[in-house]
């Protein structure tokens, strides 16, 4: 009987989540400012449900920075699969859509700073990014993981006044 209950619960959970990362949406959620029309500096942190069944319990977070007049955002995020390619877990890429769905999960902004304040804070944020101590590590629980990274940046740059979501499992590892 216990086995039947467990199998039923797993079936229900898997039926309610995206199961193929290759076909999951990565389109823009329409939350970010368009760098082609909005030239002001920007610092944004996004959170979206983690992929598949993990999204019932946790979020994935990432950081996007766009200096004034920059044509793209630079996105920084920690992903475990980078380690399998002999790359650091902390990845960096340029994009005009830093607000992409996280493999089917719509993101939300958990931090948004624009204009002169962003221009003032970007150098401090970049220093924190460059000194992130776990750039080559990833552990799902207790961390370091994708949520440890923005939490650590927030601790290094308290002017961000970052509050991580409750479901940002691993964010406490930075303390």
């Amino acid at each position: 009987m216990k086995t039947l209950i467990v199998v039923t619960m797993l079936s229900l959970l898997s039926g309610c989540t995206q199961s193929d990362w290759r076909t999951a949406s990565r389109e823009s959620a329409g939350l970010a400012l368009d760098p082609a029309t909005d030239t002001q500096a920007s610092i944004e942190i996004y959170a979206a449900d983690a992929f598949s069944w993990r999204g019932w319990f946790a979020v994935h977070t990432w950081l996007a920075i766009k200096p004034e007049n920059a044509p793209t955002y630079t996105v920084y995020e920690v992903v475990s699969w980078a380690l399998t390619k002999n790359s650091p877990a902390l990845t960096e890429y340029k994009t005009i859509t830093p607000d992409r769905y996280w493999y089917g999960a719509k993101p939300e902004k958990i931090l948004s700073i624009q204009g002169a304040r962003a221009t003032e804070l970007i150098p401090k944020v970049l220093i924190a990014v460059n000194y992130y101590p776990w750039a080559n590590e990833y552990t799902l629980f207790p961390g370091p993981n994708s949520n440890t990274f923005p939490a650590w940046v927030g601790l290094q740059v308290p002017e961000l006044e970052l509050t991580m979501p409750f479901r940002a499992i691993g964010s406490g590892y930075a303390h």
Side-chain angles (χ1 to χ4, degrees):
M1 183 64 172
K2 283 184 181 181
T3 304
L4 179 60
I5 292 172
V6 169
V7 169
T8 302
M9 291 300 293
L10 288 174
S11 296
L12 287 172
L13 284 175
S14 65
C16 297
T17 61
Q18 178 75 38
S19 59
D20 186 359
W21 61 268
R22 292 172 295 234
T23 59
S25 176
R26 294 288 285 152
E27 69 183 302
S28 170
L31 303 173
L33 301 173
D34 181 352
T37 58
D38 195 320
T39 61
Q40 66 183 329
S42 183
I43 301 171
E44 298 178 347
I45 298 178
Y46 295 92
D49 289 347
F51 182 70
S52 189
W53 60 269
R54 292 171 199 85
W56 284 65
F57 308 103
V59 294
H60 169 81
T61 55
W62 63 96
L63 165 69
I65 295 173
K66 185 186 81 62
E68 186 174 12
N69 297 315
T72 59
Y73 288 83
T74 301
V75 173
Y76 300 93
E77 66 185 327
V78 170
V79 291
S80 63
W81 60 79
L83 293 172
T84 64
K85 298 176 181 179
N86 294 321
S87 296
L90 176 57
T91 64
E92 170 185 338
Y93 63 92
K94 305 268 187 204
T95 182
I96 60 170
T97 56
D99 59 342
R100 295 187 312 173
Y101 276 60
W102 179 251
Y103 298 96
K106 184 176 182 178
E108 65 178 274
K109 281 187 192 180
I110 61 171
L111 178 84
S112 184
I113 301 171
Q114 278 81 39
R117 186 162 176 244
T119 297
E120 173 190 330
L121 293 176
I122 285 173
K124 294 178 181 183
V125 170
L126 291 174
I127 289 169
V129 167
N130 289 326
Y131 285 98
Y132 180 60
W134 304 287
N136 294 305
E137 298 177 46
Y138 186 97
T139 304
L140 187 61
F141 182 81
N145 60 32
S146 66
N147 298 313
T148 308
F149 169 66
W152 192 84
V153 170
L155 290 171
Q156 306 313 302
V157 188
E159 301 93 328
L160 292 174
E161 300 177 15
L162 175 62
T163 301
M164 294 294 287
F166 175 75
R167 294 188 312 134
I169 295 171
S171 61
Y173 190 88
H175 291 280

